[in-house]
Amino acid sequence: MTIGMRAGMAMIAVAVAFTGVVVPSQPVQAQSLLDIFKSPAQRERERKARERARAAAEAAKAKPVRISGPRYHTYRADKLVQVDFGKIADPVVTGAISDMGLAPLGIDTFSEGRAVLDTLDVRALPEAAEAVVAHYSETPEYIWVAGTSVTDRARAVVEVLNGADAVGLSADDYRVEVPADGFDLAQGTERQKELMAFEMRLSLAVANYILDASRGRVDPNRISGYHDFNRKSPDLGSRLEALSKAEDPAAALLAHNPQGAHFEALVAELKRLRDLDEGDRIEIAENILLKPGQSNPELANVMAAMAKKGSDALKAEHALLFASYAGKPEYDEELVKLVKDFQKELGLKPDGVVGPATRRAMVGITNSDKIEKVRLAMERARWLPGVLASRRVFINQPAYTASYYNGGKQELSMRVVVGKRSNQTYFFDDEIELVEFNPYWGVPQSIIFNEMVPKLRSDPGYLDRAGYEVTVGGKRVSSSNVNWSAVGAGSRVGVRQRPGSSNALGELKIMFPNSHAIYMHDTPSKSLFERDTRAFSHGCIRLQDPRAMAAKVLGTTVEDIGSYIAGGQHTPVNVPENIPVHVAYFTAWPDETGAVNYYADIYGRDGYLRKAIDATEAARD
């Protein structure tokens, strides 16, 4: 041992004597001995350094969390099943033997036709097959046949089935051949077999039609997780019974389609489009972006399109310009004024810029494209209630509008902002239950983990400064005290923004509680409503005039709404009566005049629905 080491040990011994620290009997490492002389502040600094190192190690282990939206699926179509007529062909007869033990005299025509059921080969939707067999098992009587003839009632019903294309369905799915009137009188039993086969085929076709007309051929929930509907289950037994007794069974069958002005307008538009000649179509380059003062050879096509698509009033006001235009490519002030007027009458932002939205309005879409959109709209309409409530709120995402109806009439309509493509707004029905004034914003988990956590790992106190409240496991904590680097899968972290001028929900939100955390609300970002394409939110519906909508659903005035807001306190108010709300997706939909308008397919859902219909038709072929 060196002289220096011996001196050091002596000093430690003296220190022990004065401090009362117990020196262990076992040899002590030099680092432990040196710790004795560290100040409390130094020990605290080293403790925090060890904690930071441990946190960094935990962060390295923590798996980064990213919450993604729902997926689109490969559609699985409903499969047709072979109908088992066994219960009708060989019924268990009770009460058919008289008290004398003898069978009743004569055979009724229905019983005479039963023999064909053993060999009858028919496929139908499972619910239709079950309902038809159950009906005839309980009521072994003809609905569509009388004696040796097909009834006029049956012929009228067949006409409805043959006209299924007119209501957006496919007549091929319900095709039934009607037996000829003439037959060999000596072949009475064969005639009854023929009529029995017709009876069963027609009733099955009717049952299939009822299902398709009332709920749609496609189950929307199988298209994607963005669709959320309870698929309708019509009571086919009672509906078959009702048809058998209906004064006008054809009208009763047709009534299973959606009822109301919206569907009537779609039916009328489909007929109009099919009767139209396609005609000449003006093309404008898809990538056009023409701004005032620029020069572009496409300007000639722009002028031709406005001459064709513009209103008579527009063409009259700018008649001299239309007449004198000689194809020049310079986009001068006079032409800019014409384009602005054209944009204004079509509800576009009148900025004079010919971009994608203005181009679509000028070029339009082909008749065949419109027919496709109308047919898809008819299918989607079947997912909604068969009769829309007279008082309701209807949000159409592709149109970027929200409308309030009372007494079946539109009383209010406004622009909205919906979810961007990466945060799509869902398609579902619900009921408005309350309005919250000066609301808190409960930040969705997708935003917390996808957007906030990465920033918080470098700036833990960000949420405290921005006016947010943080909870971990339900307990309120400071944002700066959370180890965001260790936040990973399974972390029970909640974030909400307090009411105030910077709150993402603005002054109020209109609630229809649902599992998707979607509702209508105000927003501080007012400028977005001026844009033609308004898909910018995380999925909720931002309202251009939230006070007006709140006044309608609460049955009060805009002034009363202002009083609630002026108080500055978070105040929930229940609506007097729940109001149906449809958060819908229609790329073709009628306005209040019955004219059908067409919209861009912002989420690409038309293509997915078309594939689902194609899969359904293939499964039924």
Side-chain angles (χ1 to χ4, degrees):
M1 182 180 294
T2 66
I3 296 173
M5 290 179 66
R6 285 197 296 269
M9 292 299 294
M11 291 175 65
I12 291 172
V14 171
V16 168
F18 280 97
T19 58
V21 176
V22 177
V23 179
S25 58
Q26 297 298 322
V28 180
Q29 293 182 359
Q31 182 63 43
S32 300
L33 293 171
L34 292 175
D35 283 347
I36 297 173
F37 297 99
K38 291 177 181 175
S39 67
Q42 186 178 0
R43 290 195 190 100
E44 180 63 17
R45 285 195 297 273
E46 292 182 0
R47 184 187 65 79
K48 288 184 176 180
R50 288 193 297 272
E51 285 185 356
R52 285 195 295 271
R54 190 162 47 247
E58 291 175 0
K61 295 177 183 178
K63 295 180 179 179
V65 176
R66 182 163 187 85
I67 298 176
S68 58
R71 296 183 301 108
Y72 285 87
H73 313 304
T74 299
Y75 189 78
R76 295 177 296 102
D78 291 324
K79 294 182 179 179
L80 303 184
V81 299
Q82 193 76 25
V83 182
D84 181 3
F85 294 103
K87 291 182 179 179
I88 310 172
D90 186 19
V92 177
V93 181
T94 59
I97 305 298
S98 68
D99 292 340
M100 298 296 293
L102 300 174
L105 295 175
I107 299 177
D108 66 85
T109 53
F110 188 90
S111 296
E112 192 173 1
R114 285 184 198 271
V116 77
L117 297 177
D118 288 331
T119 58
L120 190 58
D121 183 12
V122 186
R123 292 192 309 151
L125 292 169
E127 303 98 317
E130 182 181 350
V132 168
V133 169
H135 173 81
Y136 287 105
S137 297
E138 297 172 6
T139 312
E141 299 172 356
Y142 282 124
I143 297 176
W144 314 114
V145 170
T148 57
S149 302
V150 172
T151 66
D152 290 339
R153 292 162 56 85
R155 296 179 193 279
V157 165
V158 169
E159 283 301 308
V160 171
L161 299 179
N162 289 342
D165 288 337
V167 291
L169 299 174
S170 174
D172 289 339
D173 289 344
Y174 322 105
R175 198 77 67 189
V176 178
E177 185 176 347
V178 179
D181 289 334
F183 66 96
D184 186 348
L185 294 176
Q187 300 293 319
T189 299
E190 291 306 312
R191 176 63 171 178
Q192 288 306 320
K193 289 181 180 180
E194 182 182 32
L195 293 174
M196 175 63 80
F198 167 75
E199 174 83 12
M200 294 300 150
R201 291 182 188 278
L202 181 54
S203 288
L204 288 164
V206 163
N208 283 339
Y209 182 96
I210 291 172
L211 287 171
D212 292 346
S214 59
R215 72 182 188 187
R217 290 185 288 171
V218 167
D219 181 349
N221 294 355
R222 296 184 207 160
I223 298 176
S224 82
Y226 289 111
H227 296 79
D228 186 5
F229 290 92
N230 292 322
R231 200 176 192 197
K232 300 171 187 173
S233 299
D235 184 347
L236 292 178
S238 63
R239 297 197 183 193
L240 279 172
E241 181 68 19
L243 277 176
S244 70
K245 298 175 180 177
E247 185 175 341
D248 185 348
L253 180 59
L254 200 57
H256 287 93
N257 290 284
Q259 301 297 297
H262 65 290
F263 199 76
E264 292 173 5
L266 292 172
V267 171
E269 176 75 350
L270 186 58
K271 182 180 186 307
R272 183 186 75 82
L273 292 171
R274 283 175 169 160
D275 291 342
L276 278 179
D277 182 15
E278 186 70 57
D280 295 329
R281 188 165 183 256
I282 296 168
E283 296 292 345
I284 299 174
E286 287 190 15
N287 61 351
I288 189 171
L289 184 60
L290 178 59
K291 297 181 179 180
Q294 293 181 339
S295 178
N296 193 315
E298 287 293 320
L299 189 56
N301 292 330
V302 168
M303 286 295 291
M306 288 190 291
K308 182 176 182 179
K309 297 282 186 178
S311 67
D312 291 340
L314 179 82
K315 286 183 276 191
E317 182 179 351
H318 297 275
L320 184 59
L321 180 57
F322 277 114
S324 62
Y325 180 74
K328 64 177 183 178
E330 290 78 25
Y331 190 31
D332 58 27
E333 290 185 9
E334 204 174 15
L335 293 172
V336 170
K337 175 65 167 62
L338 169 57
V339 169
K340 286 182 177 180
D341 289 347
F342 177 83
Q343 291 172 324
K344 190 179 299 182
E345 74 175 18
L346 290 180
L348 301 172
K349 184 180 180 180
D351 56 7
V353 176
V354 181
T358 300
R359 177 195 171 276
R360 281 195 299 270
M362 290 178 171
V363 173
I365 58 176
T366 65
N367 272 356
S368 59
D369 288 340
K370 288 182 178 179
I371 287 172
E372 176 76 352
K373 283 181 177 289
V374 171
R375 286 175 59 86
L376 297 181
M378 292 169 128
E379 174 68 18
R380 290 178 172 127
R382 303 178 197 282
W383 306 341
L384 303 178
V387 177
L388 299 180
S390 61
R391 188 176 184 221
R392 65 185 184 273
V393 172
F394 189 86
I395 299 160
N396 190 10
Q397 298 166 49
Y400 303 111
T401 56
S403 303
Y404 170 83
Y405 290 81
N406 193 21
K409 302 296 183 182
Q410 180 179 292
E411 290 188 356
L412 177 70
S413 187
M414 67 185 66
R415 290 186 165 203
V416 301
V417 170
V418 300
K420 50 193 172 184
R421 194 177 181 99
S422 58
N423 297 93
Q424 298 179 21
T425 302
Y426 288 69
F427 186 176
F428 65 105
D429 292 327
D430 216 299
E431 289 189 336
I432 296 171
E433 298 181 13
L434 76 156
V435 178
E436 287 189 20
F437 298 100
N438 303 306
Y440 285 90
W441 177 40
V443 183
Q445 291 288 294
S446 59
I447 298 178
I448 293 173
F449 285 100
N450 297 351
E451 301 178 25
M452 289 183 166
V453 168
K455 181 175 182 178
L456 288 162
R457 286 180 174 175
S458 60
D459 183 8
Y462 160 69
L463 293 178
D464 292 334
R465 298 194 307 274
Y468 289 84
E469 297 175 357
V470 179
T471 59
V472 177
K475 183 180 179 181
R476 177 86 174 271
V477 297
S478 168
S479 170
S480 58
N481 287 341
V482 177
N483 179 9
W484 295 103
S485 295
V487 170
S491 300
R492 294 172 57 200
V493 177
V495 178
R496 73 173 184 173
Q497 186 181 27
R498 289 189 288 269
S501 59
S502 62
N503 186 286
L505 305 185
E507 298 176 336
L508 63 87
K509 64 179 178 179
I510 299 172
M511 298 290 292
F512 33 100
N514 57 84
S515 60
H516 316 301
I518 288 177
Y519 38 83
M520 296 184 284
H521 65 86
D522 182 25
T523 176
S525 306
K526 306 293 186 184
S527 62
L528 295 178
F529 293 110
E530 299 304 315
R531 303 195 185 186
D532 297 326
T533 301
R534 299 186 291 280
F536 298 107
S537 80
H538 284 86
C540 283
I541 299 99
R542 304 177 189 174
L543 299 172
Q544 184 181 32
D545 191 353
R547 293 192 182 196
M549 184 64 79
K552 289 295 184 183
V553 300
L554 287 175
T556 186
T557 65
V558 173
E559 290 72 25
D560 284 342
I561 299 301
S563 299
Y564 280 114
I565 294 167
Q569 299 298 312
H570 171 238
T571 308
V573 178
N574 292 324
V575 300
E577 181 180 343
N578 286 6
I579 302 170
V581 58
H582 307 287
V583 186
Y585 192 95
F586 288 88
T587 54
W589 193 254
D591 60 22
E592 282 304 285
T593 69
V596 174
N597 297 302
Y598 297 89
Y599 308 102
D601 183 14
I602 58 176
Y603 298 147
R605 290 181 184 169
D606 279 2
Y608 287 104
L609 178 53
R610 179 68 262 170
K611 290 178 182 178
I613 291 175
D614 289 344
T616 298
E617 291 179 345
R620 297 183 179 190
D621 187 9

